Amino acid sequence: MPKISRRAARRSGQEERLQRVSSASSPATQRSGSPQEIEEERLQRVSTLSSSGSPQEFFQSLIRPLDLQEFFQRFWERQPLVLHRSDAALAGYYGSLFPLSGLRRLCARGLQYGTDINTCRCVRGQKRLLNRAGAVDFCLLERDFLEKKATIQFHQPQRFQDELWRIQERLECFFGCLVGSNVYITPAGAQGLPPHYDDVEVLILQLEGQKHWRLYEPTVPLAREYSLEPEGRIGAPTHDFILQAGDLLYFPRGTIHQADTPAGAGHSTHLTLSTYQNMSWGDLLLDLMPGCVFDRMKTDCELRTGLPRGLLTTPSISPAVSHQLSVFLRRLADVVDQQGQSLRSSSMRRDFISHRLPPFLQDPQLLQPVGGAPALQDTVSLRFKDHLLLTVEPSPDHTDEATELLVYVLHSLRNRRDTHMMMGASDEDEDDEESQVGGLRFPLSHLEALQQLLVSDRVPVEDLQLQQEDKLNLLLALWSEGLLRVTGALENHH
């Protein structure tokens, strides 16, 4: 879903830089120590990738031997990165994520063209869609793959492959936003998509075979939309290289790219992980401004004065109105900067928590309440903190009284894996926002106690910053939702 690059005037210097990055990041040139130590480090990297680990540890293992600080300072949103790895264990792990040999089994699950799978081919710089109608028949899919040189694009494979569910759930915890994926299987001597750029940050894992990539100078850096780019406009590639099984490629949104499988090389399978769609400062401003203005109107009488007569029927905004709006915006900026006004997200946080993957738990019983119900003498802790957030929002209940603010505990414990990142999968429920988000709501007076639970590993119930009569009601609600664990009696804490 995503990509990035730089133009022909600086081509040679950038190709040289990519080469330096590739070689400096290769296991053979970065590691030092005895052969036994090198082998132990290599096996540890594969083990961390294939085990749970923290979200940060997982991402660090994904880009190793590069460290996190260098990645985000040098490459993130700035330039492509390719990591070439001559590592049989890592290549074997990548290859197990979505082997071509497993496609027949998946097709037996009633996959549909257009929804689950696209077949396509790049012909003279244009994408030609080769989809059939209805359900996917593996034998016909295989025929199109071999005879028509069709690329198979598998949408959101984490819905079916457990290890991809685990990987993307870890990445969503790490980035704090949605992570989607596609698998591309391309026969030898073929190309699926024409040159284009996307609106997401992209990580490419080469799973099987090899893929020839060309990256170009972006025409729209950090683009906010997908677009095709004609060959005559993009110039010469700034980067030109081949990924082998076990290799990783990253490029920022807006990077123009195209990829093909070399002739005589067998098929290529790669996984595209995409993230940071609509996650810019501009998107945050669009999200925060409604709540900021709403709160300020309570105390700023000028914001409540009426608009000039006929403003909505005039063809354009007059200079006087533009000036008045700029005065209000400066005043809002001063309030946020100097008085530390609390800013409230109106939709971004809810959108993430309601559409992200559920925790990677193959036994759904683990989501149920654990142990006994909490008591006043207990010490407690929150479960699934990576899948939980607090938000303060106006009450949805319409009354004649002043708007009441409530604190919400939102979580993704019961989100649906089978509809993750599938557009339109739950359209029929979109008008009922609360039905899309798991969670609880409490009076604003409970906010401090909830923040205590969120930032602490263990909290004695008696230490909660809440009225005594409200403590058990709060804890019982969290425990019943599967969000609370009793970690011991009070005397054990002290």
Side-chain angles (χ1 to χ4, degrees), residues 273-294:
L273 297 165
S274 55
T275 190
Y276 257 64
Q277 186 177 52
N278 299 332
M279 278 288 289
S280 68
W281 284 106
D283 293 300
L284 183 61
L285 280 172
L286 290 171
D287 186 56
L288 294 177
M289 286 306 294
C292 182
V293 174
F294 180 86

Side-chain angles (χ1 to χ4, degrees), residues 205-217:
L205 308 185
Q206 186 66 29
L207 307 185
E208 297 178 316
Q210 55 182 253
K211 202 68 173 281
H212 172 220
W213 286 86
R214 285 167 287 171
L215 311 181
Y216 303 81
E217 182 83 9

Side-chain angles (χ1 to χ4, degrees), residues 400-413:
D400 293 333
E401 301 176 3
T403 302
E404 178 188 13
L405 291 178
L406 299 175
V407 56
Y408 290 81
V409 179
L410 306 178
H411 64 79
S412 55
L413 268 61

